[in-house]
Amino acid sequence: MNDVLLEYVMKVNRFTPIPSPSTQRLHNVLAVVKQKTAETPKTIIKVTNASELAAITDTTAPMSLIEGGLTSFFALPMDALTLDSAAITNMSEFDYFTILIDPAFGDEALAGLTLPKGFDGVVGISSSDDSLIKEFVKKENHCAFYQAEETAGNNMFKAFGSLLAYKKNKWTNQQYIAMDYNDGVSSLDTADDLFEIRASFVLSSPEYGNRLAFFVCGGNAGAVAIAAPYIYQELITKLQGSALTWLNLNEPDYTTAEAALLENQLQKVIDKYIESGQISAGSIAVTADQDNFVMSAAANVPQPKATWRIVSTMSEGE
């Protein structure tokens, strides 16, 4: 308790600011799996161990999400790949930014995949069909792993598990991390072909073992670094939260001067992403409109980049 004299001299009314928004959604993933039996309910469950997954499916590959670093994930058992089905009883109860599809559904089902209404996140599949992969990754936020059929998508699940575990408190592209399974990519020609169609894939080296050689998703101008959609979405959420907190604390009169103060507050959020190396640059402009209750903001954030390969030419001199 503060001293009574201090309270007498200057009584302070304490104000509790609005808490920062949660970004947990970005780390949550839904694995859609082939249901164990026809009687298995089409209901999303939270999975923390292998026995919980085994109760709804014979597929084991999603456990590689936990091997990658996650402590849990959501799983949805289905007989057919109809994510917009009314038969899914609790779809709206869970919040996730990533959907990964069990390759056991087959390439035909993957090619005709329809996402839940309103879903704006990342979706991943695994296939050994180059044509399917090439077409799939043309869509924004769509990721397709090349796989050997017998690996059942394990490398895809582990790669996303490592990405979503958010090590070192920032998004990274998981470049060349060690992987558990050999997907049959061991020649430079094959790797080049997969790189050209923008397939995500694991390259097996005699010296370095199985390494994640490429991990991307579709974007507006072609393939983008896998971390890009997560960085963008997190940045948007934190900008919105920062604006809400500032407006709540300051109750501005919507003047040009206060627009500049808000702009400075939001720029600090962007600058943290620049300092961490997640984006290379970014700026925001806030202006007070004629309407006393509206400010206009425009953010300019370049596409996050990743250096995946170095193409070099060496000339031998005398």
Side-chain angles (χ1 to χ4, degrees):
M1 179 180 295
N2 286 342
D3 185 89
V4 63
L5 181 60
L6 296 178
E7 290 289 332
Y8 175 77
V9 171
M10 181 178 177
K11 185 174 179 61
V12 177
N13 293 319
R14 293 169 178 80
F15 185 84
T16 303
I18 293 175
S20 299
S22 171
T23 56
Q24 181 58 45
R25 170 179 178 248
L26 299 179
H27 306 277
N28 293 340
V29 55
L30 174 66
V32 184
V33 297
K34 290 283 286 185
Q35 66 186 53
K36 194 176 189 74
T37 68
E39 290 73 33
T40 303
K42 296 179 179 62
T43 301
I44 298 175
I45 67 166
K46 185 176 182 178
V47 174
T48 58
N49 57 60
S51 61
E52 291 172 338
L53 183 64
I56 63 169
T57 183
D58 292 326
T59 298
T60 60
M63 291 306 300
S64 291
L65 286 164
I66 292 179
E67 293 175 15
L70 292 180
T71 57
S72 65
F73 60 91
F74 301 133
L76 171 62
M78 304 195 75
D79 55 348
L81 198 53
T82 51
L83 295 181
D84 55 348
S85 171
I88 305 172
T89 58
N90 61 344
M91 180 72 83
S92 61
E93 297 176 16
F94 297 86
D95 205 8
Y96 42 83
F97 191 70
T98 306
I99 296 177
L100 302 178
I101 310 297
D102 178 3
F105 284 102
D107 288 343
E108 185 176 348
L110 295 176
L113 176 64
T114 300
L115 296 174
K117 185 177 180 180
F119 179 73
D120 61 350
V122 175
V123 58
I125 66 168
S126 288
S127 175
S128 56
D129 186 330
D130 292 4
S131 298
L132 169 61
I133 291 172
K134 185 177 180 179
E135 290 303 312
F136 193 83
V137 298
K138 290 179 179 179
K139 302 173 185 176
E140 188 172 6
N141 290 353
H142 281 48
C143 171
F145 266 77
Y146 177 84
Q147 67 159 20
E149 291 185 10
E150 62 272 15
T151 60
N154 272 284
N155 281 332
M156 173 188 70
F157 286 111
K158 182 173 182 179
F160 272 99
S162 183
L163 169 72
L164 301 180
Y166 200 68
K167 301 176 180 70
K168 300 180 181 178
N169 294 319
K170 70 175 187 178
W171 296 101
T172 60
N173 293 309
Q174 311 304 307
Q175 189 167 10
Y176 301 125
I177 63 171
M179 303 296 284
D180 296 330
Y181 291 85
N182 184 329
D183 273 324
V185 183
S186 57
S187 74
L188 183 58
D189 286 344
T190 303
D192 281 341
D193 289 342
L194 293 173
F195 183 86
E196 287 302 317
I197 65 172
R198 299 304 187 247
S200 299
F201 65 94
V202 170
L203 181 60
S204 296
S205 157
E207 182 172 356
Y208 297 104
N210 305 316
R211 296 283 172 168
L212 182 56
F214 202 47
F215 193 12
V216 295
C217 64
N220 291 329
V224 299
I226 190 62
Y230 298 92
I231 293 171
Y232 274 131
Q233 190 58 50
E234 184 179 81
L235 179 54
I236 289 169
T237 301
K238 291 191 174 183
L239 285 171
Q240 292 170 330
S242 182
L244 175 61
T245 299
W246 189 89
L247 293 170
N248 177 246
L249 285 172
N250 293 279
E251 298 182 347
D253 291 326
Y254 297 93
T255 64
T256 300
E258 288 180 316
L261 291 173
L262 176 56
E263 179 180 301
N264 182 62
Q265 178 70 19
L266 298 180
Q267 186 63 49
K268 290 178 182 177
V269 176
I270 295 176
D271 288 345
K272 288 181 180 179
Y273 283 80
I274 298 173
E275 291 166 5
S276 69
Q278 296 182 85
I279 60 176
S280 59
S283 62
I284 190 163
V286 180
T287 56
D289 289 350
Q290 292 181 350
D291 186 335
N292 289 334
F293 298 98
V294 177
M295 283 188 177
S296 297
N300 178 26
V301 180
Q303 181 68 55
K305 294 179 174 62
T307 300
W308 294 103
R309 305 175 68 185
I310 301 171
V311 179
S312 64
T313 301
M314 181 177 292
S315 300
E316 184 176 350
E318 295 182 358

